Amino acid sequence: MAVNSSVHFAPPPLRSLPRSSFAFFSRIFLRPVSATDFRRRSLVLVRAQAPSTDGCGSNQPLGLEESGPSLGSTGSPSSSSVIDFLTLCYRLKTTKRKGWINHGINGPESIADHMYRMALMSLITDDLPGVNRERCIKIALVHDIAEAIVGDITPSDGVPKEEKSRRESAALNEICQLLGGGKRADEIKELWTEYENNSSLEANLVKDFDKVELILQAFEYEIEHGKVLDEFFHSTAGKFQTEVGKSWAAEVMSRRNSRLRNNQN
């Protein structure tokens, strides 16, 4: 659903639930509130609920959780924190990518689907000078992790880039707290920030994989649903930074152009 930049979403009223060792982040952005109200609200930990598959999270009210994540005796995340974190990441599997929903694609890919194929791209790419391929895989796996809380914010939502980044950064901090802090949480934050700032060769490459995955998925949906999804190809044109990204994108475009020509004949 498109919204303007002064409208955000907040959860419905919360009901009380018994204390639980399982913490989960509240579903947010479900009813319009003012930008001022949004800034006053902080993300809260809540009892886990199974999210729906409509791309918007669960419709069940969630209860506040009073206790926070804890660290194990060695400084590693406790088992409780790990399961809380993985439960939150379940939403990446069930939240559908909004761009496809906006274009009427039935049963579109989830955020996790998108990140997984990007990780495969990182896995199969050739070794490149100065590029740590394993780091690319890690970046691909976490670059959209904040969307487990904020959802998939698209340009059609009218949210300014700075505000989108602020929301996602706040969500990432909450995710790392949920994991219990420590070196694994620090690594996730470092990888996410590196991608967000496009500050390394690995980030450059994964940024390109993000766009290649997008246009490849668009091409596949064109074939599957008989649609023309020009918007996704136009929005990525000329924005590839690496030779690998340019080469793979050119291959997708070549196949698409060939198909379009055949359809016209």
Side-chain angles (χ1 to χ4, degrees), residues 10-11 14 25-28 37-46 64 149 166 170 174:
L14 299 171
F25 285 97
S26 67
R27 174 171 48 90
I28 57 178
D37 287 341
F38 178 85
R39 285 192 290 271
R40 289 173 180 167
R41 297 169 188 233
S42 60
L43 298 171
V44 295
L45 294 177
V46 296
L64 289 169
I149 295 177
R166 187 197 67 77
E174 295 289 342

Side-chain angles (χ1 to χ4, degrees), residues 9 20 32 47-48 60 70 73-75 89 97 108 111-112 119 123 127 159 166-167 172 191 202 204 212 216 247 263:
F9 294 97
S20 167
R47 183 181 175 87
Q60 298 299 318
S70 60
S73 58
T74 63
C89 290
R97 298 252 287 167
I111 297 167
L123 177 66
D127 292 329
V159 178
R166 187 197 67 77
R167 292 188 195 179
L172 183 77
L191 292 164
E202 290 82 4
N204 297 164
V212 171
L216 178 56
S247 176
N263 288 345

Side-chain angles (χ1 to χ4, degrees), residues 126-176:
D126 288 338
D127 292 329
L128 300 170
V131 174
N132 183 327
R133 196 164 50 88
E134 287 74 19
R135 188 169 186 84
C136 290
I137 296 171
K138 291 181 179 181
I139 292 174
L141 287 172
V142 304
H143 81 284
D144 278 343
I145 196 170
E147 293 182 11
I149 295 177
V150 303
D152 182 20
I153 302 172
T154 68
S156 64
D157 292 323
V159 178
K161 183 178 180 180
E162 295 76 13
E163 171 62 12
K164 177 177 181 291
S165 180
R166 187 197 67 77
R167 292 188 195 179
E168 291 179 347
S169 180
L172 183 77
N173 288 334
E174 295 289 342
I175 290 169
C176 290

Side-chain angles (χ1 to χ4, degrees), residues 100 214-220 222 228-238 240 249 252-253 256-257 260:
W100 309 127
L214 176 67
I215 62 173
L216 178 56
Q217 186 65 75
F219 177 46
E220 291 163 344
E222 285 185 332
V228 176
L229 301 170
D230 286 336
E231 172 188 332
F232 300 97
F233 300 94
H234 293 161
S235 67
T236 57
F240 295 93
V252 175
M253 290 302 302
R256 180 180 189 250
N257 291 336
L260 292 176

Side-chain angles (χ1 to χ4, degrees), residues 117-128 133 136 205-217 219 233 236 240-256:
R117 187 152 66 171
M118 285 176 60
L120 288 179
M121 291 174 174
S122 301
L123 177 66
I124 66 174
T125 191
D126 288 338
D127 292 329
L128 300 170
R133 196 164 50 88
C136 290
L205 187 58
V206 179
K207 286 274 187 182
D208 277 6
F209 289 159
D210 182 62
K211 297 178 183 68
V212 171
E213 207 288 322
L214 176 67
I215 62 173
L216 178 56
Q217 186 65 75
F219 177 46
F233 300 94
T236 57
F240 295 93
Q241 307 173 80
T242 67
E243 293 306 312
V244 172
K246 293 173 184 177
S247 176
W248 291 10
E251 178 64 22
V252 175
M253 290 302 302
S254 175
R255 297 186 183 196
R256 180 180 189 250

